[in-house]
Amino acid sequence: MWRVGLVFGAVAWFVSLAGLVEALHARWVVDGVFSAGQALLVLLLAASGWVGARRSGATLAARLGAGTVAGATAGFCLGLLAWLGAHVNLRAMFINASPVLFELLLRGRPPESGWAANLLVGAALGLAGSLVGVAPAGLVRPLLAGLAGALGLGLFQDLVLLILQPEALTSVREWLFVAGGGPTVQGVLAAATASAAGAGLRPAVKTLAPGASLPPRAAQVVWSLVGVALLATLPVAGGPFVAQVLVIVGLYTLMGLGLNLEVGLAGLLDLGFVAFFAIGAYTVGLLTSTGEHGIAHWSFWAAVPVAVLVSLVAGVVLGIPVLGIRGDYLAIATLGFGEIVRLLVLSDALRPWLGGSQGVLAIPKPVVAGFELSGPQHLYYLTVVASAVVAYVAWRLQDSRLGRAWMAIREDEDVAEALGINLVSVKLLAYGLGAAFAGVGGAIFAVMVGSVFPHSFQLLISIQVLALIIVGGMGSIPGVLVGSAVLIGLPELLREFGEFRFLVYGAALVAMMLLRPEGLLPAAAQRRELHAEVEAEPQSAQLAAGTATEGR
Amino acid sequence: MGSVAAGAVRHPVVRRLSFVDAFLWAFRLAVVLVVVWGTVGTLRLGRYTGEQWVDFVVFGLAQGGIYALIALGYTMVYGILRMINFAHGEVFMSGAYTAYFVAAPLAASGFLNRHPILSLLLLVAVAAVVSTGVAVLVERVAYRPLRRAPRLVPLITAIGASFFLQYAFRGLYGSGFKAYPEFELFKGEWQVLGIGILRTQAVVLASAAVLMFALYQFVMRTKVGKAMRAVSEDKDAAALMGIDVDRIIVLTFAVGGAAAGAAGILYALVFKQVHFFMGFVPGIKAFTSAVLGGIGNIPGAMLGGLFLGVVESVGPALFLDGLGIVAPYQLKDVIAFTMLVMVLIFRPQGILGERLAAKRA
Amino acid sequence: MALLVTRRMTKRFGGLVAVRALDLEVAERAIHSVIGPNGAGKTTLFNCVTGFYRPDEGEIWFSGQRIDGLRPDEIAHLGIARTYQNIRLFANMTVLENVLVGLHMHLRSTWAGAVLATPAVRREERWAHAEARRLLEFVGLGGRGHLLARNLPYGEQRKLELARALATRPKLLLLDEPTAGMNPAETQEMIQFIRRLRDELGITILLIEHHMRVVMTISDRVTVLDYGEKISEGTPEQVRNDPRVIEAYLGTRKVAAEALG
């Protein structure tokens, strides 16, 4: 079991030296007592105990013992790191091996005894983790929920504070948070208790009052009303910062919906997708800009349809050459096209028209009936409407003849063709419509930033969009929303996190493929449920339907 | 489509030119026109001397040698697992970047210039060890559990691993450029046949050639190399012959990683700096080289690398300058990516022509 | 007149000649079997007829129209459907959706119509769903429509593949070893089913089969291939007694006699 501990120890070394621990250390979970960085290490040690316990013998004692050993080993590794840091100048190589980190690891003790303390703490946390591993699920769920609640309050304190901004809520705010600092002890306890109670009571509510819940149709209506109300009030309640984050989430949702047509439905892995976002943005930029590169001085509303059309055509044009390419070769070829587009836009050769690395400046904001949509709080509504329209289109397409043809070519291109599906038109429609969706996003992006330049359209964006549809669940429209909320929204809210978001994206892609390849909200299950309902009704009628010979 | 069904009898040989075919022909024609037109223009302008052309070619060969060494890793892994190890560029980066922390103190203490050859060997060894470790780790964590998954799945983990590694090394070593120490010995030029050749480029080219020769001998002559080739022919049959397939796969990643690590040091010699993102573009270009040579084909990867290096180095001046394009050198990556796309579209089996294209039905 | 005709059709893979100068005529409303040892070129024949491969030489005619050189989807539109030796379903789609894909070319809705949910599109979708359910009922998969295709047991996967092929309303159905892996009872059921396809729906059947009892029971005509060449053709009775077949098929007279039963 010491091997489990060593693996976790290595992970702990990595997160420490890569700077994650120190970055999170800047955020209090309990003001002045316990930081998010410490929480990360504590969670790692406890997790090593949990894994150690689950991987070992049948008896309770053996499992607890194994967990303790794993925790102690991981703790020892951390202690060793602290000791090394005190004696060797690790910082010459590892930029984040800072005094703050070692201070945090040693908690003020001298390095000679600090490692022993780490070992003991590790053993204790390992034991705790293994206890969680052997405890019944009914107990574990509220426990973990409580933990998440406590951590969540600390991690998303900016958001909570923004919501508690109004004068009327001052007392709540002061009770939950230290002025200018992190959550108070009672605040954390309250958050933990609330989430634990919520998780603990949910099954109880379900069993006690099965009839009390609303019929499904009514529940749907209620929930969608709640959703709409929330969407409408969020930016007002959260202020410009939250609105800005939500606009970005919306833009990624638009791109995600587009890429989802290509990758999720049609199985065409496109790594150059950001090019269409860029084309949408540049089209709007060039058509509306009042600066030197503006060519038409159109209004935003006139430019958007053109931008969508240009993106659509670009999707088809770049789709034609790659029609015959499959699988991983397709991914690389589209990546090549995406990079070619970016490099051309960036080059001095096209500078007179596209502005080179400076880009197109002075893009005016959209105007609705004399009212300028200037700040993020205004653009938010534009983004929401655009996302809703595009999501509706995507949803209609998915359940149509074309959507089925896309899924068929994803599953088996040859068979689909032998069933009479014209691969050329079906694939080009996927490329074109997917690109058009991204073009909508690009158009909004252009007016949001007020300028477009090539640096905004790097491969990283394509990878982010790919990551979000995979995390959400390929081929699933709600999955796209969840994916962009989790992968784009959360990191925006966690400022310290910024530098590490791509690290987390990479890890998330690998972890999702290893542990849950179908994503958080898988499409297949939804579809099955959907059809199961439809199927159930006409059973009897269908038996009476005429014989199979008719119509032939 | 209904109209097609009603269509008249068509002779199969003179099949109608579909609009897709026409589009592809236009694409080919456009590229050929640009190349020919540009070349004629450049040569008529006579802006470059013979010596400059030689410089371009030598630089291209040196760069191509680096691509070739990285390409070996792609091609060997593809040969065995039929998957693109997207993270291979980061394997290349990890070695060179880590070795910087050996090179810098060596330079500071003066050891580097007192024993340049020994230092170079030491750096190559460090880089190779680190890159090998990273390659094996990636295989173990991200690829091995997915051996039987659909093809897109390991590709997505590979993309994930690639980004994870980039930002992991950024977190560990920082986001700035690190200036690699220079060897005094390799400064200046050597006269070869009356032509001055930059010493760095000569060293890089020679080292790449030696390493490639050694690798080729390893794969062709040793027992392990034979086992690798057997596994790439047929995994199941190889397993029946008593070959430990998992071990061979790990070894393949290790050998490819070592080559990429060595290539990283050569890259640092030429470009004199390293950073966490340095693996991406050379990685894509090395992949292009591997495809150019016919993926899965080891000598092909070597030739493909050299070819790409030369085209990319000569291309901006030869093809683009003559068209009157401003700052053609900015477009050298466009040339490389265009070659990549064109090979994938028109000749996925590579220029050397070993057919490994996916079988239909 | 014959529904499907190949004239001196040849297909090569590198140096290997998979099918050599094959002349084949499949009569309308016939059940026509193609037999032969492994590697005789039977599946290659199917792949050429469905447009998957292009024959190197010769011609293929289907109901009076030349079809070699057409794309697979064009050929499907003319009325040829097939099943596969190793069942190829759309594994991650539901059973119903698999059949709906088969109906694809009989639906007219465009993407814009689908987005706008025009009455015509909704009517067509309702019809398609009803038709798909009817087909599932016909092959004995009624009420299974909501399952994912990959979760069906083997025998039902074969039935689904048939339902999907029938959804294209073929005139000619190519069946590649439809009874492979089936027990005697299931095989018997499949024989009955194939007969029904011909008798009730008027579909012409071209069949690859290894099961000699099946071939001899249902075929109107049998073609024997060996190394890509036709070595015999005729009624089951004629083929069974053809010494060349016995010779080529299994080498020795005794084993062959047993196999051909």
Side-chain angles (χ1 to χ4, degrees), chain A residues 170-270:
Chain A
T170 310
S171 58
V172 182
R173 192 170 73 227
E174 278 171 359
W175 192 74
L176 282 175
F177 291 96
V178 176
T184 58
V185 177
Q186 69 262 28
V188 171
L189 285 177
T193 323
S195 6
L201 288 181
R202 218 175 62 177
V205 169
K206 271 192 184 162
T207 48
L208 281 178
S213 60
L214 291 163
R217 200 37 67 82
Q220 256 177 18
V221 172
V222 168
W223 280 118
S224 31
L225 282 178
V226 169
V228 169
L230 243 146
L231 275 177
T233 51
L234 256 179
V236 181
F241 171 67
V242 172
Q244 176 76 22
V245 171
L246 289 173
V247 170
I248 294 172
V249 169
L251 294 180
Y252 274 95
T253 304
L254 283 170
M255 279 196 276
L257 288 168
L259 190 62
N260 189 44
L261 291 190
E262 294 183 18
V263 181
L265 291 185
L268 304 164
L269 188 47
D270 187 340

Side-chain angles (χ1 to χ4, degrees), chain A residues 76-102:
Chain A
F76 172 77
C77 292
L78 268 182
L80 190 67
L81 177 64
W83 183 85
L84 263 179
H87 291 91
V88 184
N89 180 17
L90 287 178
R91 204 159 195 190
M93 186 163 176
F94 299 105
I95 195 165
N96 284 309
S98 66
V100 177
L101 173 69
F102 299 116

Side-chain angles (χ1 to χ4, degrees), chain B residues 161-224:
Chain B
S162 164
F163 277 79
F164 179 81
L165 286 172
Q166 274 176 22
Y167 285 86
F169 278 89
R170 177 187 147 133
L172 292 175
Y173 299 154
S175 59
F177 287 80
K178 302 258 190 250
Y180 238 72
E182 289 185 59
F183 290 80
E184 288 297 331
L185 180 64
F186 302 149
K187 283 183 179 163
E189 292 190 342
W190 274 316
Q191 294 294 319
V192 180
L193 303 170
I195 303 163
I197 289 178
L198 284 177
R199 289 188 186 190
T200 334
Q201 292 175 5
V203 170
V204 166
L205 196 51
S207 317
V210 168
L211 284 167
M212 282 190 279
F213 179 76
L215 263 170
Y216 190 64
Q217 292 304 316
F218 172 79
V219 175
M220 298 314 283
R221 295 288 159 82
T222 63
K223 213 175 151 186
V224 174

Side-chain angles (χ1 to χ4, degrees), chain A residues 100-495:
Chain A
V100 177
L101 173 69
F102 299 116
E103 169 67 32
L104 180 151
L105 290 177
L106 292 169
R107 292 175 208 88
R109 292 187 186 78
E112 282 66 30
S113 63
W115 69 266
N118 267 304
L119 186 113
L120 287 178
V121 170
L125 287 168
L127 182 63
S130 54
L131 278 171
V132 175
V134 297
L139 218 65
V140 172
R141 190 192 307 243
L143 193 71
L144 291 182
L147 219 62
L151 284 175
L153 183 68
L155 285 175
F156 300 109
Q157 49 185 279
D158 290 352
L159 185 65
V160 180
L161 280 171
L162 271 172
I163 292 169
L164 298 179
Q165 203 88 77
E167 210 55 37
L169 297 170
T170 310
S171 58
V172 182
R173 192 170 73 227
E174 278 171 359
W175 192 74
L176 282 175
F177 291 96
V178 176
T184 58
V185 177
Q186 69 262 28
V188 171
L189 285 177
T193 323
S195 6
L201 288 181
R202 218 175 62 177
V205 169
K206 271 192 184 162
T207 48
L208 281 178
S213 60
L214 291 163
R217 200 37 67 82
Q220 256 177 18
V221 172
V222 168
W223 280 118
S224 31
L225 282 178
V226 169
V228 169
L230 243 146
L231 275 177
T233 51
L234 256 179
V236 181
F241 171 67
V242 172
Q244 176 76 22
V245 171
L246 289 173
V247 170
I248 294 172
V249 169
L251 294 180
Y252 274 95
T253 304
L254 283 170
M255 279 196 276
L257 288 168
L259 190 62
N260 189 44
L261 291 190
E262 294 183 18
V263 181
L265 291 185
L268 304 164
L269 188 47
D270 187 340
L271 291 184
F273 194 67
V274 70
F276 307 118
F277 185 68
I279 287 168
Y282 264 92
T283 311
V284 164
L286 292 173
L287 288 177
T288 65
S289 170
T290 53
E292 60 168 321
H293 295 292
I295 51 173
H297 307 290
W298 286 8
S299 80
F300 173 75
W301 305 108
V304 165
V306 179
V308 173
L309 194 70
V310 171
S311 306
L312 190 144
V313 171
V316 171
V317 167
L318 289 188
I320 291 172
V322 297
L323 279 173
I325 307 181
R326 296 185 184 198
D328 35 13
Y329 271 28
L330 176 66
I332 303 282
T334 49
L335 184 153
F337 273 127
E339 286 295 287
I340 290 173
V341 169
R342 188 178 65 84
L343 290 166
L344 285 178
V345 172
L346 188 61
S347 71
D348 286 341
L350 296 178
R351 192 188 192 100
W353 300 280
L354 301 177
S357 59
Q358 303 296 310
V360 179
L361 306 172
I363 299 170
K365 303 284 177 200
V367 177
V368 182
F371 178 76
E372 193 186 64
L373 300 178
S374 50
Q377 275 162 303
H378 299 157
L379 289 173
Y380 165 82
Y381 293 103
L382 177 63
T383 317
V384 166
V385 170
S387 306
V389 170
V390 166
Y392 174 79
V393 171
W395 171 70
R396 288 298 314 169
L397 287 174
Q398 176 176 295
D399 258 344
S400 73
R401 166 176 182 257
L402 181 61
R404 291 190 297 262
W406 281 336
M407 284 189 271
I409 64 168
R410 175 190 72 196
E411 296 290 318
D412 194 327
E413 208 173 295
D414 300 330
V415 174
E417 195 179 15
L419 290 171
I421 292 174
N422 182 342
L423 296 183
V424 172
S425 66
V426 166
K427 280 187 179 181
L428 289 184
L429 272 171
Y431 286 122
L433 292 171
F437 288 7
V440 177
I444 297 175
F445 178 78
V447 290
M448 181 186 89
V449 181
S451 58
V452 286
F453 41 92
H455 189 75
S456 311
F457 307 109
Q458 294 187 344
L459 173 72
L460 275 174
I461 312 277
S462 299
I463 303 288
Q464 275 174 284
V465 178
L466 179 67
L468 77 88
I469 65 172
I470 282 166
V471 168
M474 278 202 271
S476 152
I477 293 171
V480 172
L481 264 168
V482 170
S484 55
V486 170
L487 283 190
I488 310 297
L490 290 191
E492 291 284 342
L493 291 174
L494 274 170
R495 274 175 291 113

Side-chain angles (χ1 to χ4, degrees), chain A residues 398-400 404 407 523-539, chain C residues 92-98 100 125 129 133 143-148:
Chain A
Q398 176 176 295
D399 258 344
S400 73
R404 291 190 297 262
M407 284 189 271
Q526 297 166 18
R527 269 217 322 283
R528 211 166 45 219
E529 276 174 26
L530 208 80
H531 288 290
E533 276 172 31
V534 185
E535 191 94 354
E537 297 162 20
Q539 273 287 312
Chain C
N92 292 308
M93 296 171 76
T94 65
V95 168
L96 191 74
E97 284 170 332
N98 266 274
L100 286 170
E125 280 293 296
H129 278 75
R133 286 212 191 81
R144 312 284 269 169
H146 60 287
L147 294 175
L148 283 189

